[in-house]
Amino acid sequence: MHKDCERIMLTEEALCARVEEVAKEVDVRYAEKRPLVVGILKGSIIFYADFIRHLSCPVELDFMAVSSYGSGAVSSGKLNIKKDLDKSVAGRDVIIVEDIIDSGFTLANLKALLYDRGANSVIIVTLLNKKERREYDIEPDYNCFDIENEFVIGYGLDYDERYRNLPYIGILKREVYEK
Ligand code: IMP
Ligand code: MG
């Protein structure tokens, strides 16, 4: 285990098994479709790569990078698109793949934006859900794990751009972000 981890919350094995299970549920629903699978950079990359390998429907891949202005517990109310999609979503069935839903700000705004651009349908697939932190009226359609209100790293998730490459989800030691 990395020295900055308090403990491992989800092992590689647990992640692998649950991601497969959820991807197969999604796959059944899209059997007759050709979804555009939108990964939200950068946190979703490892989850995304594992998720799409369990889909048998014909998928197209695309990515967006977004950030919310301001930080801390209260979002300031504007989504900043740092990298937009390459493809048009008009008429498409979109699957948004995101690492974690926290306040819900990012996904509430993103879902509305993609519908505004003419998407036929938009669903949200998340790896982690911090339910008790929700401030916006949005829920994932599929979620792999509900977690407690702890700051987690690994399997794509970062603190200050670090730890994304850890193969498990770990709880970051408080002393790392409180110093
Ligand atoms: P929301 O817009 O408040 O739902 O925040 C979602 C974003 O916050 C995620 O895409 C992550 O980038 C970040 N985030 C929230 N909680 C964590 C965490 O525990 N570890 C790493 N990133 C987090
Ligand atoms: Mg993110």
Side-chain angles (χ1 to χ4, degrees):
M1 186 176 74
H2 193 287
K3 65 172 176 45
D4 293 346
C5 271
E6 185 69 47
R7 66 176 169 87
I8 293 176
M9 180 186 270
L10 297 162
T11 64
E12 271 187 87
E13 293 72 23
L15 288 162
C16 178
R18 179 62 181 147
V19 171
E20 176 171 3
E21 192 173 65
V22 170
K24 285 181 170 168
E25 279 177 43
V26 176
D27 195 42
V28 171
R29 181 158 158 190
Y30 287 83
E32 305 299 318
K33 298 201 166 97
R34 189 189 171 85
L36 184 66
V37 188
V38 173
I40 309 307
L41 300 172
K42 304 168 199 165
S44 74
I45 57 158
I46 298 179
F47 172 43
Y48 185 99
D50 285 347
F51 174 78
I52 59 171
R53 279 181 285 178
H54 296 293
L55 300 180
S56 58
C57 53
V59 295
E60 278 185 64
L61 315 186
D62 210 341
F63 299 92
M64 264 180 118
V66 298
S67 64
S68 52
Y69 289 119
S71 59
V74 183
S75 301
S76 60
K78 179 134 174 46
L79 193 70
N80 177 27
I81 300 176
K82 295 194 285 187
K83 182 225 173 287
D84 210 335
L85 298 169
D86 293 333
K87 304 222 170 75
S88 165
V89 296
R92 300 299 305 266
D93 295 302
V94 178
I95 301 175
I96 298 176
V97 178
E98 173 65 309
D99 53 359
I100 184 165
I101 179 165
D102 188 40
S103 72
F105 173 82
T106 307
L107 288 171
N109 280 280
L110 213 48
K111 190 173 183 178
L113 176 71
L114 299 185
Y115 272 121
D116 274 355
R117 290 179 176 182
N120 179 58
S121 67
V122 180
I123 67 159
I124 293 168
V125 180
T126 48
L127 177 70
L128 305 173
N129 185 2
K130 281 187 189 170
K131 275 189 173 165
E132 52 173 285
R133 294 260 307 161
R134 200 75 81 258
E135 292 169 39
Y136 293 81
D137 185 23
I138 185 98
E139 287 302 326
D141 297 274
Y142 298 87
N143 171 56
C144 299
F145 300 95
D146 287 323
I147 65 165
E148 302 298 309
N149 185 18
E150 303 267 17
F151 197 88
V152 291
I153 50 168
Y155 197 69
L157 289 101
D158 73 309
Y159 170 69
D160 202 15
E161 295 299 331
R162 294 181 61 203
Y163 315 110
R164 293 193 195 276
N165 58 323
L166 298 178
Y168 48 81
I169 298 275
I171 297 176
L172 185 63
K173 281 184 181 163
R174 283 190 171 271
E175 65 203 55
V176 177
Y177 56 92
E178 281 177 353
K179 66 178 166 209

